[in-house]
Amino acid sequence: MTTPRFVKWNTSSQNEDIEGGEFTFRAVTLGLVIGCLLCFTNLYFGLQTGWISMMSLQSALIGFLLSKFFPTPITTQENVVLQTTAVATGTMPLAAGFVGILPALGLLEVERDGSPPIHLTWLATVGWSCAVAFFGVFLSPPIRKQVIIEEQLPFPSGTATAQLVSVLHQTPLPDSTLRRRREYTSLETEEDANEPDSSEIDTGDDPIDEQSTVQTEGWSALSWSFIASGAMTLAAYFFPVFFSVPLFGNYLAEEWLWTFTPSLSYIGQGIIMGFPTTLSMSLGMLVGWGILSPLSKLSGWAPGPVNDMTSGARGWILWISLAIMCSDSIVSLSPVISEIVYDKLSKYTGSSLQGVKEDKEVETPDRLVPLRWVVWGSAVSVIVGTILVWMVFGNEGIKPWATVIGFLMGGILSIFGVRALGETDLNPVSGLGKISQLFFAWIQPGNVVANIIAGAVAEAGAQQAGDLMQDLKTGHLIRASPRAQFYGQIIGSCLSIVVTATAYTLYTRAYQIPGPSFPAPTAFIWLGLARLLRDGDLPPRSDIFMISFGLFFGVVSAIKTYSAQRQRWFAKWIPSGVAFAIGFLNTPSFTLARLIGGFVEYLYHRKIGKENGGIRLIVIASGFVLGEGVISIVSLILRTYGIGVISCWGCGHGLCGGCPQ
C-alpha cells in the first residue's frame, strides 16, 4: 500500500496529539541542551564577527535526530517547542548585548567619554541580562495576532522550519498561504482523497523517503562534519597560523590584513546564509578592504596602522559601514511604517462602514497567551528591568526615567522590526538600536554610557520579539500551542542568562576582548555612534563617503524592498546593505570562508539539492558550525589553565591569535 502524496490536514488526529502533550519535559530539556550549545557558538562567533544566527531550522533538525534515543519519537508539536526553547537559549548573546554592548562599555575612556571603562562582574552581567531578557517575550503575543493571523506575513525562515519539521515527522506539508486553515478536514473516504483541492501541495518528493534519508545518513553526516570542524579548531589553537593563513603573501597580510581563515564553521555559516548574502558580504569586503582601506591610508586620512580602530583604515571604513547600515535599515522600514499608518487611517475613516471584523484566530483561548499575562508581564519586566539597570550602572550611567523611555521605544521599534522580519526575513535590530541612540542623544545629551545602554534596551526587545515571532509562525503552520512556545521562550531565556554570563566572564578572563582572537567589531559601531552624537567629530573626509554610500544604499535598499514585495526573482540578488556593511566590519579572512560556503550552497542546489531539498547539506553545515562552537569551550579551558600554542610557525604577519604579536 502506497502512501498518498497529496494529503489534507487531519484536524482530529492533530488535536489528539496536542491533547497528549507538546510542552513536555523531554522537549524542553532537549531544547535547553541544544540551546546551550548554540549559546556558546553564537557568543564565540559574535565576538569574532558580530554575526549570529537563530539556528531554528538547525535546532529542529538536530532535535529530531537526538530524539531517536527516546523510546517514542517526539511529535511535530514537541519539536516546535524544542526549537523555540533552543532559539531562546541560543540568541541571548545578541539580545543582551554580549557581542557588542558590553565590549563597547569596556572601551570607554575618561578623557574622551567622561567615564572610565565599565567591566561588569559575573553578578552584574546576570543582573543586566535579567533586565532585558523578558520584555521582548511579552511583546510577542499581541504582535502575533496582527502579523501572523491577520496579515499572514510570510516569515520565510519560520515557514521553512515548519516545512522541514513536516518532512521529518512524515506529516502533510503546511499550506504557507494559510488561507484555508479552517477548512482542513480529515480524510473520511477514499473518494475524498482523490478529489483535487487547492490546499494540496505537491512537493515533488515523498516525505517518507525524505525522513529515511535523514535517519540513515543524518547522524553520519552530522558526526563527521562535527569532528572535522572540531579537529580544525584544535589545530588552529595549537598552530595559530591555521586561524590566519597569509594566502596572498605576508605583505598583504601584515600591512593590509588580507588573510584567509580555513574554518569549516565559517564555511558552514556561509551555507546557512546562502549565496546571495555571502556575495553581498564579499562585495563589501572588496570595496572596504580592497579600495577604501588603501585609499584612506595612502591619502593620509587614516595614517595609523590599518588595524587600528582609532587612527587606522579599519576605524575609518567603520564609519562608512555605519552609514550604510543606518540607511539600509531606515529605507527598508519605511514601507512598514507607511503601511501601518495607512492601515490605521483606513480603519479610522472607514470604521462606520466595515462592521464587525471576522476573527481569523484558529487557536482556542486555552492555547493562547492571556492578555492579562501580557499586561502584567510587560509592566513587571519594565519596572524590574529599570531597577536592575539602575543597580548595575547607577545614576551616572543612565537615569531610571531614561531607562523607562528606552523600554517604551523598544516596544515601538519592535513592531517595525517584526514586520520587516516577516516580509524580508531580516530583523534590522542594529539599525533599530541606532535609532534609539539618535533619540537619546536628544533627550540625554553628552552621556555616552546612557546612549549605549538605551540602544541596547531597544535592540534587546526587537531581537527577542523577532525571534519568537519566527517560531510562532512555525508553530502556527504546524498547529503547535502558542502558550507552550511562550513557556519554552521564558524557560530558555532564564537558563541562557546564567549560561551566557558565565561564558562571557570566562572569555574575558582568558582573552583580550576586543583583541586579536575576538575583535568584537560591533562594539566599535556602538561606541563610535555614541561618540559622534556627543562630539560630532569624524575622521578626515569620512563624512563625504558616509553621505555618498548612505544615499547609494538607500536607493539600493528601496529597489530591493520594492522588488521583494512584488516577488521578483532577481530581488535576492540585489545586494543587502546590512550584509555589505558587515563585509566592512570583518577582516577578509572571515568573509572569504563564508563566500566558499555560499558558493557550495549555490552549486548544491543547482546540481544536487532538487533531489532531497538540501536537508543533507543543512546537516553538514550544522555539524561544521556546532563543531567549532563546542570545541571552542575546550580551547577556552586550555587557555584558562595556561596551556598555550605548540608552534607559531608562519605567524610572521602578526595576526595570529595566541602568538606574541
Side-chain angles (χ1 to χ4, degrees), residues 69-70 126 147 263 280 352 368 392 401 428 463 474 499 520 522 584:
F69 291 105
F70 296 151
V126 170
V147 299
S263 166
S280 294
S352 60
L368 297 172
V392 172
W401 61 265
Q463 171 71 25
T474 302
V499 173
T522 55
F584 280 45

Side-chain angles (χ1 to χ4, degrees), residues 538-561:
L538 287 170
R541 303 299 293 273
S542 61
D543 52 348
I544 298 176
F545 286 88
M546 289 177 67
I547 294 172
S548 301
F549 276 84
L551 292 174
F552 176 78
F553 274 94
V555 175
V556 171
S557 179
I559 297 173
K560 185 177 181 67
T561 302

